[in-house]
Amino acid sequence: MARKVVVIGAGIVGVSIARELAGRPGVRVTVVERDEGRPRGSTTFAPGFVGLYNDTPVLTELARASARVYESVRAGFSRPGGLELATSDAGAHEIERRAQAARTAGLTARTVSRTELPQSVDAFVDTSRILAATHFADDGVAAPTELTAALRAQAESAGAVFVAGHEVSGVGNRDGGFTVVGGPGPGRGGADADAERDRDRDRERLDADDVVLAGGVWGAHLARLVGLELPLFPVAHPYVYSASDPWLLSGPFVRWPEHHVYARVHGDRLGLGSYDHLPVPVEDDSLTHGAGLPWSPDFDASITAAQQLLRPQARFDAAHKVNGVFAMTPDNLPFLGAHPDLPGVWVAQAIWVTHAAGAARALADALTDGPALPREVAVDRFEGREHAALRDDALRLYRDIYAHESGGDSGRGAGGAPHGDAAAGTTP
């Protein structure tokens, strides 16, 4: 008899998990997604930066594995490389340290001069301020919506079934497994809404041997359905796009780690994001309509400051502004693994586009009796600590989004940030 797995969430993480499991013998996969039509999770708003090196080795390995999967899909992903730029002596020392560490990890990274910057980057970066630059040749960029659609097509081709428009309202135990209860997702209702919901719940009771929680910014809510208080904290993040400019060229993405700013060319538009502002926590009731919130004027100052890193002629009035939400953890590491008290329930949360496919493969291996998942990403690693203190730790790490749990400006990784739903938060 086939092993029945229900995956909750159809962002890049959930779709990647379905793709991995559907291709394995004796596994039948159903993915439950809350939206009908255009998705509204973090994956939709992710800028799609896929930087491989991270000072935490487990994230480097997940990123490398993800990039290999994305490359094999042949849609929505390429490897133009990534550049880290420094405008101070301290910044130059830091990016050289990271380059050496990346080389030690087996990645390609080299110092380049200002005159070696590609034309695509020279066209928008104020190179007069650059004291040092490092090129990470293995880094990539994703078009998250296109990439997720391609991963989903492969999952469906392998037999995965997607159930759209149903929001999970409960996960109940049954003999040897679970029943996942679904109700109508957002946007449905009317005079007979209650009766319709009851009928839909009856139709959408899915039996499962295993349940995987991959709900992105709704992850803490889903975890509570299975008795788990997950320290997962949604935050808002700004990213802006220029108007169409036919003179823009594709090339490496760019980060200025000491300024907490990043940029890339998206086809014929320039995108720019910044973490250089106070963290903006987002409560669950603000996510009713998805992970894209109305633009906040509070972000204007950080975006204006970020533009000072661009050539004067490349600075722009944003044609499109994204206030995307992604979920943070107290140590900037994902939750990936088994529920500590409920065998058969698995968690895949706080995972960016950068790490989604690699995390999916690792979880699928563990679920099908393969290698155990790393302890660093265990679901219960914060057990016994107060929720309020964990929230403070997570928010403290926002500005230094790549920093490890001890904080500071070390810039823990170049691992591609929002959303993610990263996947994946709004991670680049």
Side-chain angles (χ1 to χ4, degrees):
M1 181 179 295
R3 183 174 182 177
K4 293 181 286 187
V5 181
V6 171
V7 179
I8 303 173
I12 194 166
V13 176
V15 166
S16 294
I17 292 168
R19 174 186 175 275
E20 285 291 333
L21 288 171
R24 303 192 180 205
V27 179
R28 192 171 72 198
V29 183
T30 301
V31 181
V32 178
E33 53 184 321
R34 70 193 296 271
D35 293 319
E36 291 180 291
R38 180 178 173 81
R40 292 174 293 171
S42 295
T43 300
T44 301
F45 305 100
F49 290 56
V50 183
L52 303 193
Y53 176 70
N54 196 291
D55 281 349
T56 301
V58 65
L59 292 185
T60 298
E61 291 311 307
L62 291 178
R64 293 171 91 157
S66 296
R68 288 193 292 269
V69 170
Y70 299 155
E71 210 162 33
S72 74
V73 172
R74 299 182 181 277
F77 179 75
S78 62
R79 289 193 195 242
L83 281 165
E84 292 192 358
L85 307 179
T87 63
S88 69
D89 290 339
H93 176 77
E94 174 57 21
I95 65 172
E96 176 52 36
R97 180 199 68 79
R98 287 174 40 73
Q100 178 57 50
R103 290 190 290 269
T104 300
L107 298 170
T108 304
R110 70 182 184 94
T111 300
V112 296
S113 68
R114 287 189 299 187
T115 59
E116 292 179 280
L117 294 176
Q119 184 181 354
S120 62
V121 170
D122 189 67
F124 68 85
V125 169
D126 183 354
T127 56
S128 69
R129 299 184 59 181
I130 303 305
L131 297 186
T134 299
H135 182 241
F136 295 82
D138 303 306
D139 288 355
V141 294
T145 300
E146 180 184 352
L147 176 59
T148 301
L151 291 163
R152 175 170 175 160
Q154 290 189 353
E156 290 178 313
S157 179
V161 174
F162 286 74
V163 178
H166 289 274
E167 188 168 3
V168 171
S169 56
V171 178
N173 288 311
R174 65 168 177 80
D175 291 340
F178 306 92
T179 297
V180 178
V181 181
R188 297 178 61 178
D192 298 322
D194 290 340
E196 183 181 355
R197 287 190 186 95
D198 290 340
R199 290 193 298 272
D200 284 343
R201 286 191 179 103
D202 289 339
R203 287 196 297 268
E204 298 305 331
R205 293 179 183 272
L206 302 173
D207 289 335
D209 298 300
D210 298 271
V211 177
V212 182
L213 310 181
V217 294
W218 297 279
H221 167 73
L222 288 177
R224 286 191 286 271
L225 297 180
V226 292
L228 190 62
E229 191 63 39
L230 203 61
L232 196 67
F233 306 99
V235 294
H237 176 73
Y239 194 80
V240 297
Y241 295 85
S242 72
S244 175
D245 183 347
W247 297 104
L248 290 171
L249 302 172
S250 296
F253 65 76
V254 176
R255 274 193 287 256
W256 295 262
E258 65 195 298
H259 298 282
H260 316 284
V261 171
Y262 59 103
R264 65 167 284 203
V265 174
H266 302 260
D268 61 354
R269 298 185 299 163
L270 180 61
L272 184 72
S274 174
Y275 291 94
D276 196 17
H277 60 88
L278 293 174
V280 181
V282 176
E283 302 303 325
D284 286 352
D285 57 6
S286 297
L287 297 170
T288 303
H289 300 292
L293 303 180
W295 180 260
S296 171
D298 292 342
F299 291 140
D300 289 341
S302 61
I303 293 298
T304 298
Q307 296 236 22
Q308 303 312 301
L309 296 166
L310 308 181
R311 289 185 179 278
Q313 60 270 33
R315 296 167 192 167
F316 58 90
D317 293 325
H320 180 54
K321 300 179 179 181
V322 174
N323 179 3
V325 181
F326 67 97
M328 294 195 67
T329 67
D331 58 2
N332 271 350
L333 295 176
F335 289 111
L336 185 67
H339 190 300
D341 303 312
L342 201 55
V345 174
W346 303 80
V347 176
Q349 295 290 165
I351 300 170
W352 292 358
V353 171
T354 303
H355 309 110
R361 180 158 293 176
L363 185 138
D365 287 344
L367 192 150
T368 54
D369 301 320
L373 289 157
R375 178 62 194 168
E376 298 99 310
V377 295
V379 175
D380 62 349
R381 65 185 183 271
F382 299 110
E383 187 174 359
R385 292 186 56 190
E386 292 186 1
H387 193 76
L390 293 171
R391 181 179 184 273
D392 289 344
D393 285 348
L395 296 181
R396 176 175 54 81
L397 289 176
Y398 172 81
R399 185 167 179 265
D400 298 305
I401 192 67
Y402 304 117
H404 52 67
E405 60 185 338
S406 64
D409 289 328
S410 63
R412 181 193 58 172
H419 295 236
D421 175 74
T426 311
T427 33

